[in-house]
Amino acid sequence: MSQQQSGAAVGAPLADTLAEDSIADYLKSHPDFFERNTPLVLGLKLPHRAGGAAISLVERQVSMLRQRNAQLERQLKDLVAVAKQNDTLVEKIHQLGLKLMRAPTLVARLEQLETGLREDFAAERAVLVLFPDSPAAAVREGFVRRLGSDDPDVRPFATFLRAAKPRCGPLRDRQKNIFAHDADEISSAALVPLGSESRLGFLIIGSRDPDHFHPGKRMDFLARLGEVLAVALRD
């Protein structure tokens, strides 16, 4: 093959690509092109995706619009479902706050908190870890653990406590020791700091489901819960 023929063979695909790009750019800039050239539209045929008979450009557009519409409907349903879940969660936090405010004593508030987490928030396991800065009267067996920030069971949470922001995700083996029993069954958890710079301690809510508390969870709701609890822990 001569050099000229070789160059033509190599250049042909490039020329075709440039031509297609130019046509595509033109059609994007002139979306009414086919309206002004109706006979051309009627003569265009496109292969069916399933390998069947060719269909017209209009039929393909209608098919694509239907698919797009179905996709948008699914997205809308997902958004509505998430919105309903958020509304439900906000209402639960509100009701829990009301119950805590009605409780006459700190001990009663702790009882309401444990019951509410279990019954209203479906918490499989929950532990309220309180540091020395929290009120001494904040005691509830099986739910409250009074520990120092340097306790061996608290050290695995050091990074979370320094950040002082809610966190969701899987638990490391050392972190599971914070639960008094059934620790090995807990796979994921929500961590909620209490007070400024986690000064009062933190709440941990555990689940057997490793995906129940995942990093994509809404953290702002957990932050609100932490603010409510920090106030409720006042002696």
Side-chain angles (χ1 to χ4, degrees):
M1 179 182 294
S2 68
Q3 184 177 355
Q4 182 177 2
Q5 290 174 326
S6 176
V10 173
L14 178 60
D16 291 343
T17 301
L18 293 174
E20 290 181 1
D21 291 342
S22 298
I23 294 171
D25 291 339
Y26 179 84
L27 292 177
K28 290 178 182 178
S29 302
H30 302 80
D32 61 340
F33 173 80
F34 288 111
E35 292 183 11
R36 294 183 283 103
N37 296 271
T38 303
L40 177 61
V41 176
L42 296 176
L44 290 176
K45 296 293 181 180
L46 299 173
H48 195 275
R49 289 186 181 273
I55 62 174
S56 69
L57 178 61
V58 174
E59 289 174 322
R60 171 63 67 85
Q61 287 180 318
V62 171
S63 176
M64 293 178 66
L65 288 173
R66 286 174 178 170
Q67 293 176 8
R68 180 59 176 165
N69 185 55
Q71 180 183 1
L72 291 174
E73 286 184 356
R74 288 193 297 269
Q75 292 177 348
L76 179 59
K77 288 181 180 179
D78 291 342
L79 289 174
V80 171
V82 170
K84 289 182 178 179
Q85 292 175 359
N86 290 343
D87 288 343
T88 299
L89 189 54
V90 168
E91 179 62 21
K92 287 181 178 180
I93 293 176
H94 175 67
Q95 292 300 324
L96 176 61
L98 293 178
K99 292 178 181 178
L100 295 177
M101 286 190 292
R102 295 191 188 106
T105 65
L106 178 54
V107 173
R109 290 197 291 274
L110 291 174
E111 180 181 359
Q112 287 287 354
L113 173 59
E114 182 183 17
T115 302
L117 290 174
R118 184 177 63 253
E119 296 181 354
D120 299 330
F121 291 85
E124 296 182 50
R125 294 285 285 110
V127 175
L128 184 64
V129 179
L130 296 181
F131 296 155
D133 282 345
S134 63
V139 177
R140 182 170 176 78
E141 185 177 358
F143 175 55
V144 174
R145 291 194 65 184
R146 301 197 63 87
L147 303 171
S149 57
D150 59 346
D151 187 277
D153 287 346
V154 175
R155 288 174 191 166
F157 298 94
T159 302
F160 152 71
L161 292 172
R162 282 195 298 270
K165 294 180 180 180
R167 179 180 297 180
C168 287
L171 285 180
R172 301 194 303 272
D173 289 340
R174 290 181 59 207
Q175 292 177 321
K176 294 180 181 182
N177 293 331
I178 203 70
F179 295 100
H181 56 85
D182 300 330
D184 291 338
E185 298 182 9
I186 304 301
S187 297
S188 64
L191 306 174
V192 184
L194 303 176
S196 176
E197 299 180 348
S198 309
R199 183 175 57 85
L200 298 178
F202 64 97
L203 172 68
I204 178 168
I205 307 172
S207 172
R208 295 182 177 88
D209 183 357
D211 298 321
H212 184 71
F213 291 113
H214 56 82
K217 285 279 189 178
R218 290 286 299 272
M219 301 301 172
D220 52 342
F221 293 119
L222 293 177
R224 292 181 186 179
L225 178 60
E227 292 172 354
V228 170
L229 299 186
V231 174
L233 286 171
R234 293 176 182 173
D235 201 350

